Amino acid sequence: MERPAGPRPGTKGRGAVGGWAEPSAAPAGRITVISGSVGAGHDGASAELSRRLRELGYAVDCHDFLDLVGRRTGRALRRAYAMELSVAPRTWGWLLTNLEKRDRMAAAVGRSAARVASARAIQALDGPVPPRVVVSTYPLASQVLGRLRRTGALAAPVVTFLTDLSVPALWIADGVDLHLALHEVAAAQVRHRCDGRIQVCAPAVRGAFRPAVDGGTEVARTRARYGLPPTGRLALLVGGSWGVGELAEAAADVASTGLATPVTVCGHNRALRARLSRAGIGVPLGWVDEMPALIRASDVVVQNAGGLTSLEAMAADVPVITYRCLPGHGTTNARALDEAGLARWVHGPARLAEALAGVLDGEPGRRQRAAGVELFAAPSPIDSIVALADRVAPAVIPRTRTDRTRVGALR
């Protein structure tokens, strides 16, 4: 998988707790973006939103929520999440399912995150120029920011940018001023959970993810660079930057259809790559630095989580199917993408060949591509963020205080 472009949240001077990004050099004002470095999806959206805002003259500082809970705790949470998805993914599905069914449990998780991270969040938002807007691309960050808004500790309005089409309970926090949803399917889920402002916007995907335009020359070069078959259909299998899920089984299933050669992006999962190499199943790849070109060189993307790579494929006009999806968010995203007509959810090996044939050459593929074009025709999320920032006069936003009295009141 490809690392998100732009500065990584949490880096010194651009995202360290208490740091800020050249506020005096940005006449448009300062905007803070808080992400969460679990996988690449949340950071990818954060990096692209930040890039576009900087182009408009805003000073943007990016923070990693896992730093706000403490670096040691954050690293432990990241490792635990990766381990759960890799070793016991059904337990992750069980947890999310129970959070959805039990609003009190979800609220308790949100309150716990807010108590732990509130003080560090206030420190991160402090600076010589207060933020005009704070944007969250991570559920627990939204919980913290919503709490700060409700208690009056944060004067700047808060925007939650929903990175997926499914919206778990943890994404929704009282106190958030605006939720940006990628589709009406996602917006409907937000309305079911809260009465706040909701707007539908286009995904935050880098411009490098675009359709092929050179008559196949770039595709041929990319296939040669990665040792892929020069002719024939390619199915690009992805499982996030950690290469999680039943990717080996999915690759074998794709190969057995005879319709496409599976190309599996294993990311950091070296064991998966070795397993596929030993079995001689398709072409296994490790970490890929040129995902836009690799997607354009493929004929279909087979994914299991419904995250950023799915949206990047749609931006590149490459059809997507969901197969052997991860429990929890993988299943809920699969359902939402299927409902939106953006990616067919294939429920088992017996239906895989028919689904592949449909998206490769049939009407289902044409309908999915049209739905993808419509998805990206929605207004840019930047329009909503900037409109909110422009309504906030810098003079009326007090600097965020970090004194012990105020921090203690949030606990």
Side-chain angles (χ1 to χ4, degrees):
M1 301 299 292
E2 189 176 51
R3 293 177 177 84
R8 181 191 179 281
T11 54
K12 184 67 175 175
R14 299 286 180 178
V17 174
W20 48 85
E22 301 173 4
S24 62
R30 176 180 171 229
I31 292 177
T32 297
V33 180
I34 301 181
S35 180
S37 56
V38 286
H42 303 289
D43 280 354
S46 171
E48 179 60 16
L49 292 173
S50 300
R51 184 193 65 79
R52 296 184 194 182
L53 287 166
R54 289 191 180 103
E55 284 187 348
L56 293 177
Y58 289 91
V60 182
D61 44 325
C62 301
H63 299 277
D64 185 345
F65 179 82
L66 298 190
D67 289 339
L68 300 184
V69 297
R71 292 186 183 275
R72 183 175 299 177
T73 301
R75 286 195 297 268
L77 288 173
R78 190 184 298 111
R79 286 196 298 268
Y81 177 64
M83 182 66 69
E84 190 166 26
L85 288 182
S86 301
V87 178
R90 294 189 184 280
T91 63
W92 175 246
W94 175 88
L95 175 60
L96 289 188
T97 298
N98 278 276
L99 288 175
E100 293 300 299
K101 291 180 178 178
R102 296 170 174 82
D103 290 341
R104 289 183 180 178
M105 183 184 296
V109 172
R111 286 195 300 271
S112 298
R115 283 194 297 269
V116 170
S118 288
R120 284 178 175 265
I122 291 177
Q123 183 186 358
L125 295 168
D126 196 15
V129 178
R132 300 184 71 167
V133 175
V134 183
V135 181
S136 165
T137 66
Y138 183 61
L140 294 182
S142 293
Q143 294 292 330
V144 172
L145 295 170
R147 180 178 176 84
L148 294 177
R149 283 290 278 163
R150 292 196 311 272
T151 59
L154 176 61
V158 172
V159 177
T160 287
F161 179 80
L162 300 162
T163 56
D164 296 346
L165 259 71
S166 68
V167 185
L170 280 178
W171 263 117
I172 308 303
D174 293 336
V176 169
D177 297 84
L178 174 64
H179 290 86
L180 294 178
L182 301 184
H183 192 277
E184 183 57 38
V185 167
Q189 297 175 55
V190 180
R191 292 189 193 100
H192 178 70
R193 298 186 182 281
C194 76
D195 298 323
R197 290 180 59 206
I198 306 159
Q199 293 179 1
V200 174
C201 68
V205 172
R206 290 192 292 128
F209 292 94
R210 52 162 179 78
V213 294
D214 62 355
T217 302
E218 180 198 16
V219 168
R221 287 198 305 265
T222 301
R223 289 193 174 202
R225 184 181 308 125
Y226 287 100
L228 308 178
T231 59
R233 301 296 183 84
L234 299 183
L236 187 67
L237 278 71
V238 295
S241 59
W242 294 330
V244 296
E246 299 175 348
L247 291 181
E249 294 82 356
D253 292 343
V254 169
S256 69
T257 69
L259 295 172
T261 298
V263 179
T264 307
V265 181
C266 303
H268 295 303
N269 193 335
R270 296 179 180 178
L272 172 64
R273 188 179 186 186
R275 177 182 174 187
L276 289 168
S277 297
R278 287 194 302 269
I281 300 174
V283 182
L285 302 175
W287 186 271
V288 173
D289 289 322
E290 300 179 59
M291 278 298 286
L294 187 59
I295 288 175
R296 283 192 290 274
S298 305
D299 299 282
V300 61
V301 169
V302 180
Q303 58 85 34
N304 61 10
L308 181 61
T309 306
S310 301
L311 301 172
E312 292 167 344
M314 295 170 200
D317 197 31
V318 176
V320 179
I321 67 172
T322 307
Y323 184 62
R324 291 186 178 268
C325 56
L326 294 172
H329 67 283
T331 300
T332 57
N333 278 335
R335 184 179 299 112
L337 287 167
D338 193 83
E339 181 182 349
L342 291 165
R344 178 171 174 181
W345 184 8
V346 183
H347 291 270
R351 301 182 180 182
L352 181 59
E354 179 265 334
L356 281 173
V359 298
L360 288 171
D361 296 308
E363 182 61 25
R366 288 187 285 273
R367 287 199 301 267
Q368 281 192 200
R369 287 188 173 95
V373 170
E374 185 176 353
L375 182 74
F376 282 89
S380 168
I382 299 301
D383 295 343
S384 298
I385 296 170
V386 168
L388 195 57
D390 287 347
R391 289 200 293 269
V392 180
V396 303
I397 304 179
R399 281 190 58 182
T400 306
R401 295 178 57 195
T402 57
D403 58 273
R404 292 178 178 270
T405 302
R406 191 166 194 173
V407 172
L410 294 172
R411 296 189 180 280

